[in-house]
Amino acid sequence: MDEATVKFRQEFKQKLISWLQLEDKQPEDIKDDEALFGTGLGLDSLDAVEIVIALKREYGIPQNAVDQKREIFTTFATLSDFVQNYPKNHGAN
Amino acid sequence: MPAERKNLSDNRGNTLGIFFFQVMLKILGRTCTCSFVWVIAFFYAVFDRTARRAARPYLESRFPNSSRMQAWWHFYRLIVCQGQVMILAHWLRTGHQVPIREEHPERLRELLLAKDHGLILLISHVGCWQAALTYLEIYQRPVNLLIQVNTNASVARMFSGKHFKIVDNSSPFGGLLECIAAIERGEIVCIMGDRQAGETESAVEMQLLERSIMIPLSPWLLAARCQCAIIPIFTLMRGLARSIDFYFAEPINIDYDLPVKPTASDFEPFVKQYALELEKIAVSFPYQIFHYDTSSTSHPIQEIDNG
C-alpha cells in the first residue's frame, strides 16, 4: 500500500467516525478489511444514508455513482478506495 | 434488516371464507357484504383471543376506563372495521371505484409544482391505506412504496406494473438508497410511519394517547438529508365502504444540515407533529387505527396487510 493510500485511509476513518458520531471508536479500531454493515463495524441502513450524503457533500460524489457500485460498502477498504480513486474531474472539493 | 414477522391478516379467514366474501361482493355488492361482516366479525371478536390481546394496548389507551363489556364492544367494532376495509380494498383491487374526497390536497400539489424535487408521504396503519394509495396516480408522479414485501404480498401485487414501484425494505440498506435516488428524481416516496418494521430498526419513542409507540427514524432521516418535505396522509373509510377521505396533513420540513449523523432527539419535535396528527385521527376514527401490539401476544403478529 502506498503512502498516499495509508494517509487517505487514516483521514477517511476520522471522517467516518465524525459523520456517524461513532464516539466510542478511534481510527485504529476500524480495520481495513472489516465489514462495515451487520457484523464488523455494525453500521445500519441509516448510516448508509449518512455516508452517501457525506460523500456527495464532501467529495462531490453523486448518489447514483454510489448506487451503481454497492459493493463499495463491503469493507472500509473498498469504500475508502472508491472515494480515493473517484475521478477528480467529477468535482471533488 | 427488519425481522420477518407474521401478518395478523394471515389469521383472518381461510381460502374458502375469502372466496365466500368475493362471491358475495360480486353478487350483492359492497354495502351488503360490509353489513354481513358484522356477523362474521362477531365470531372473531368472541374467539380470536390473540387479536384481542394484540389490540388491547391501543384500545385501552383510546378508551380508558372502559368496562369489560365496553372493551369487548370496542374490539368488536375494530374487527368489523378492519373486515370492511379489507372488503373495500378487494373492491378497489378488482377495478371498481368509490368516491374519494380530498382534504387539503393543495399541500401536496404545491410541493409537487413548486420544485422538481421529490417528497415523502408518510402513511400509517389507518383505514384502507394500501387501496387508497392507488389514487395517487392522479398526481402524475411516480410513487415508490417502501414496504416489507414478504409480509405485504397483496400490496406488492396491487401496485406492481402500475405507476408504482415497490422498494423492498428487506433489500440491502433497507431500500433507503433507492428512496434517496427516487427523491432526487423528483418522485414520491411512501413510507409507513407508525411502526418499526423490526426490532432492529432505529426508532424514536413517542407518546400516542399516553401510550409509548416506536416511530421509525428512516423517513425523518431521509427527509432531513434529501431536504424534502414529509406529508403525513391518512385514508379513512366512510360508511359501509361508501367512500374514502384522503387527508393530507400539514407538510413537515426538517431543519437539520449539520455534517454529522442526527440523533433520535433531533427529530423528536417533527415526529411529535406527526404523532399529534395520528392522535387526532384516533379521536375521530377510533376503529380505523390498526395498531396491534406484538409484544403482548404469545405469538408475534403484525397487522400490515389488510389490502
Side-chain angles (χ1 to χ4, degrees):
Chain A
M1 200 189 315
D2 60 56
E3 199 176 318
T5 302
V6 172
K7 188 167 179 255
F8 185 86
R9 285 187 181 183
Q10 185 66 15
E11 287 171 1
F12 193 64
K13 282 175 185 174
Q14 193 63 58
K15 286 192 173 185
L16 207 58
I17 288 168
S18 165
W19 296 337
L20 304 180
Q21 303 220 58
L22 304 173
E23 287 158 358
D24 56 337
K25 297 277 183 195
Q26 297 296 320
E28 53 272 22
D29 296 333
I30 302 174
K31 308 288 177 244
D32 287 357
D33 294 324
E34 190 175 37
L36 286 174
F37 293 87
T39 57
L41 200 55
L43 304 184
D44 62 14
S45 56
L46 300 188
D47 294 315
V49 170
E50 280 299 313
I51 292 172
V52 168
I53 297 298
L55 293 184
K56 186 177 178 183
R57 183 182 62 233
E58 307 249 343
Y59 297 96
I61 301 174
Q63 195 263 337
N64 59 2
V66 178
D67 220 21
Q68 289 161 11
K69 287 190 174 289
R70 294 285 181 88
E71 65 275 13
I72 64 169
F73 287 108
T74 310
T75 64
F76 172 79
T78 55
L79 179 63
S80 177
D81 290 350
F82 170 78
V83 176
Q84 188 183 6
N85 298 319
Y86 190 75
K88 298 290 182 286
N89 59 1
H90 277 71
N93 51 13
Chain B
M1 296 295 155
E4 189 173 330
R5 287 180 172 188
K6 197 176 174 213
N7 189 333
L8 185 57
S9 292
D10 292 345
N11 299 339
R12 294 278 171 274
N14 51 31
T15 310
L16 189 65
I18 291 166
F19 178 72
F20 171 78
F21 270 105
Q22 286 174 349
V23 171
M24 194 172 182
L25 195 55
K26 209 164 192 173
I27 296 170
L28 299 175
R30 66 180 190 278
T31 306
C32 281
T33 310
C34 282
S35 302
F36 191 69
V37 168
W38 282 91
V39 178
I40 300 298
F42 178 80
F43 292 96
Y44 280 106
V46 172
F47 298 111
D48 194 343
R49 291 182 178 182
T50 307
R52 199 157 14 143
R53 272 199 300 271
R56 188 179 295 152
Y58 163 67
L59 290 176
E60 281 181 352
S61 61
R62 175 58 185 86
F63 301 104
N65 310 318
S66 292
S67 67
R68 205 178 164 88
M69 193 59 210
Q70 285 169 328
W72 180 85
W73 173 248
H74 294 312
F75 174 65
Y76 181 32
R77 295 278 312 268
L78 186 75
I79 293 287
V80 167
C81 206
Q82 191 181 2
Q84 291 171 340
V85 160
M86 289 166 81
I87 302 276
L88 176 57
H90 181 77
W91 182 257
L92 295 172
R93 199 161 54 225
T94 49
H96 298 87
Q97 290 187 337
V98 296
I100 288 183
R101 191 175 68 93
E102 291 180 299
E103 206 172 325
H104 300 300
E106 74 282 357
R107 289 170 173 167
L108 176 59
R109 287 208 181 95
E110 279 168 14
L111 282 169
L112 289 175
L113 287 173
K115 51 183 180 176
D116 192 21
H117 198 56
L119 54 89
I120 294 172
L121 289 183
L122 202 60
I123 50 180
S124 312
H125 290 88
V126 171
C128 42
W129 61 270
Q130 314 97 322
L133 284 179
T134 57
Y135 180 68
L136 290 174
E137 277 185 342
I138 69 156
Y139 289 99
Q140 297 292 306
R141 265 308 157 92
V143 177
N144 300 264
L145 188 56
L146 181 68
I147 54 168
Q148 219 173 332
V149 171
N150 58 353
T151 55
N152 286 273
S154 68
V155 179
R157 275 198 306 277
M158 185 188 287
F159 293 111
S160 61
K162 290 191 177 178
H163 208 56
F164 293 84
K165 186 183 169 197
I166 299 292
V167 181
D168 189 352
N169 72 1
S170 60
S171 61
F173 314 119
L176 298 185
L177 301 191
E178 286 84 348
C179 291
I180 296 177
I183 293 167
E184 287 193 348
R185 288 194 301 268
E187 297 176 5
I188 295 171
V189 172
C190 281
I191 306 179
M192 186 55 75
D194 60 348
R195 190 186 295 144
Q196 278 176 294
E199 285 172 8
T200 55
E201 188 181 21
S202 300
V204 58
E205 192 172 346
M206 199 47 61
Q207 293 295 307
L208 180 73
L209 299 167
E210 298 180 9
R211 179 176 68 101
S212 288
I213 60 167
M214 298 305 286
I215 304 276
L217 277 179
S218 52
W220 307 93
L221 180 72
L222 281 176
R225 287 318 195 184
C226 297
Q227 295 179 331
C228 70
I230 287 189
I231 305 183
I233 57 166
F234 303 97
T235 49
L236 301 153
M237 181 181 70
R238 288 283 189 176
L240 291 173
R242 191 185 67 237
S243 63
I244 295 172
D245 278 3
F246 221 112
Y247 172 65
F248 296 88
E250 193 73 48
I252 301 170
N253 290 291
I254 297 170
D255 183 23
Y256 185 90
D257 59 359
L258 297 177
V260 294
K261 185 182 176 185
T263 60
S265 60
D266 291 319
F267 294 125
E268 271 178 18
F270 309 104
V271 176
K272 192 164 181 158
Q273 288 181 50
Y274 165 62
L276 287 173
E277 291 287 353
L278 201 54
E279 208 163 88
K280 278 189 225 164
I281 299 291
V283 169
S284 307
F285 301 89
Y287 306 114
Q288 294 203 38
I289 299 251
F290 304 120
H291 279 185
Y292 293 92
D293 190 335
T294 60
S295 60
S296 63
T297 58
S298 53
H299 304 290
I301 54 174
Q302 182 185 32
E303 177 51 51
I304 296 176
D305 182 5
N306 53 18

